Amino acid sequence: METHTTTVNVLGYAAQSSKAPLAPYRFERRNPRPDDVVIEILFCGVCHSDLHQVRNDWGGATYPMVPGHEIIGRVASVGRDVTQFKRGDHVGVGCMVDSCQRCAACRQGLEQYCEEGFTPTYNGTDRHDHKPTFGGYSEKIVAREKFVLRIPARLDLKGAAPLLCAGITTWSPLRHWSAGKGTTVGVVGLGGLGHMALKLAGALGADVTLFTRSPRKERDALRLGANKVVISTDDAQMASAEGKYDLIIDTVPNVHDLNPYLPLLALDGTLVLVGFLGHLEPALDTVPLIMGRKSVAGSVIGGIAETQELLDFCGEHGITADVEVIEIQGINKAYERMLKSDVKYRFVIDTSSLKA
Ligand code: NAP
Ligand code: ZN
């Protein structure tokens, strides 16, 4: 397959500042390199991180910003050194598009912990041409073969998009902390990440509990793979869960009190934060940690090999996200709904709407 010789001109949606709504934006993708895959984007999931980044909640935002890191597409062309993909293949791109490939973390397949920092799919800088990276709210992306994932044939494409971030972000801690038969897993927050955590922990055979502020989500949680639901604002229900959990995955996007969750951990249990980035308030009480050898940990997405492992697992088990498909023109409204936890359970953009 021949490499394109011209720069790829694409239409996307971008934010021009932290206060601006997303709007149409035309830009150029790089001239494909020998190890690049040019992907025509079909669907892109809407992650709460997109909202954090667009609004500069974490600092360091650069504009124009084209968000989107749950990308599913079809290969349009490949560079001459590409061996794993061919035109027409269904592929995915997640939160990373490159890393140093040399450090200890990269050598172990933990590109998400690259010592030089991985190259994010958007709001980053390409490590070769030093130009900004732009994400999946767009028609096409040019990505290094090593960071392109294969989508198993039987997976529904729109439902597979969220696996590239929400899926892998919950899969990685489930695997690292050995969730499975005979283990008890708690999931805090039923949104994009939370609903994938319920499905994946359930499929791994764990005994799964959802902790939620929202009683209206109880029925869905049981359908999605939870064996039990605890309303986190109900002290009696929380007290009845004490000492039971080997692993709790906390997906809450905002600062919140972790102290009520520490007593829920079993001996040697771990509370893994994947949602909130920043300083915790109020301070943690160390007593439940010390009196039970408990840990509080964090985790970011997952490596490329681990993401492929997840996709293959989902292919075997028929697991996809529960999605609400939207047209790109509805993205600003979708963000407002996401802020109100009003999504079941992931928005996914049908990028064919860019042509409308
Ligand atoms: P989401 O769909 O908006 O879901 C978040 C859920 O958290 C809500 O549905 C809600 O569930 C609960 N929640 C929201 N605000 C809360 C509050 N103030 N107190 C308690 N619970 C609250 O978001 P998401 O896409 O799953 O993302 C969750 C977080 O993970 C975001 O901060 C995102 O940036 C981060 N993230 C991290 C990684 C990583 O690699 N570590 C990767 C992707 C995303 P209930 O109604 O059930 O309580
Ligand atoms: Zn994400």
Side-chain angles (χ1 to χ4, degrees), residues 109-121:
L110 297 171
E111 300 89 348
Q112 73 275 34
Y113 302 114
C114 174
E115 288 169 16
E116 293 183 7
F118 67 81
T119 306
T121 304

Side-chain angles (χ1 to χ4, degrees), residues 47 49 69-70 95 165 346:
C47 181
S49 303
H69 58 206
E70 293 185 340
C95 304
C165 175
R346 197 59 142 186

Side-chain angles (χ1 to χ4, degrees), residues 46-50 52 58 69 95 165-166 169 188-194 210-214 216-217 232 250-256 273-277 299-302 338-339 341-343 345-346:
V46 179
C47 181
H48 204 113
S49 303
D50 299 346
H52 283 312
W58 298 334
H69 58 206
C95 304
C165 175
T169 300
V188 186
L190 183 51
L193 269 56
L210 173 71
F211 294 88
T212 178
R213 307 161 303 169
S214 311
R216 67 191 151 87
K217 294 183 181 175
S232 53
D250 182 331
T251 75
V252 173
N254 309 309
V255 67
H256 58 292
L273 295 162
V274 295
F276 173 66
L277 272 182
S299 182
V300 73
I301 47 174
M338 188 157 67
L339 276 175
S341 303
D342 173 26
V343 46
Y345 278 91
R346 197 59 142 186

Side-chain angles (χ1 to χ4, degrees), residues 57-343:
D57 291 345
W58 298 334
T62 54
Y63 303 94
M65 186 191 298
V66 178
H69 58 206
E70 293 185 340
I71 299 169
I72 294 279
R74 190 186 295 119
V75 174
S77 64
V78 298
R80 65 171 184 269
D81 294 345
V82 171
T83 58
Q84 302 301 308
F85 301 100
K86 59 177 192 319
R87 187 181 158 84
D89 287 351
H90 284 138
V91 293
V93 176
C95 304
M96 304 184 282
V97 285
D98 212 349
S99 71
C100 85
Q101 301 284 298
R102 290 181 305 270
C103 72
C106 284
R107 285 204 309 270
Q108 291 175 72
L110 297 171
E111 300 89 348
Q112 73 275 34
Y113 302 114
C114 174
E115 288 169 16
E116 293 183 7
F118 67 81
T119 306
T121 304
Y122 67 86
N123 197 34
T125 305
D126 181 76
R127 39 200 341 120
H128 304 284
D129 64 21
H130 309 291
K131 294 209 171 119
T133 58
F134 295 114
Y137 297 8
S138 61
E139 294 170 312
K140 283 183 187 171
I141 189 165
V142 180
R144 185 176 179 180
E145 176 183 26
K146 276 217 151 88
F147 287 78
V148 176
L149 286 309
R150 184 169 299 287
I151 306 303
R154 69 179 273 219
L155 286 186
D156 170 56
L157 294 177
K158 55 188 185 307
L163 301 178
L164 277 312
C165 175
I168 184 60
T169 300
T170 50
W171 178 254
S172 188
L174 287 169
R175 298 286 285 160
H176 184 75
W177 278 278
S178 307
K181 281 199 173 48
T183 64
T184 44
V185 174
V187 174
V188 186
L190 183 51
L193 269 56
H195 98 289
M196 285 313 311
L198 295 185
K199 289 189 184 209
L200 295 171
L204 285 167
D207 184 4
V208 191
T209 299
L210 173 71
F211 294 88
T212 178
R213 307 161 303 169
S214 311
R216 67 191 151 87
K217 294 183 181 175
E218 185 164 355
R219 282 235 320 254
D220 280 350
L222 298 173
R223 174 178 60 77
L224 291 165
N227 305 99
K228 199 174 159 207
V229 176
V230 169
I231 305 303
S232 53
T233 48
D234 181 324
D235 293 343
Q237 287 194 32
M238 288 293 274
S240 73
E242 275 185 17
K244 292 205 165 93
Y245 294 89
D246 300 309
L247 175 66
I248 298 178
I249 300 181
D250 182 331
T251 75
V252 173
N254 309 309
V255 67
H256 58 292
D257 189 1
L258 292 190
N259 289 301
Y261 294 96
L262 303 179
L264 310 190
L265 293 170
L267 172 64
D268 286 326
T270 306
L271 170 63
V272 184
L273 295 162
V274 295
F276 173 66
L277 272 182
H279 295 271
L280 289 171
E281 280 171 40
L284 290 186
D285 179 0
T286 64
V287 174
L289 295 179
I290 290 173
M291 306 307 292
R293 203 162 57 187
K294 297 166 188 174
S295 307
V296 176
S299 182
V300 73
I301 47 174
I304 293 298
E306 196 175 35
T307 308
Q308 191 63 62
E309 174 196 74
L310 163 70
L311 289 164
D312 294 344
F313 178 87
C314 289
E316 278 163 37
H317 294 258
I319 297 172
T320 50
D322 285 23
V323 301
E324 280 192 54
V325 177
I326 59 166
E327 298 187 335
I328 190 110
Q329 292 79 3
I331 187 64
N332 296 302
K333 215 171 119 203
Y335 279 178
E336 293 312 316
R337 283 188 52 199
M338 188 157 67
L339 276 175
K340 293 187 215 137
S341 303
D342 173 26
V343 46

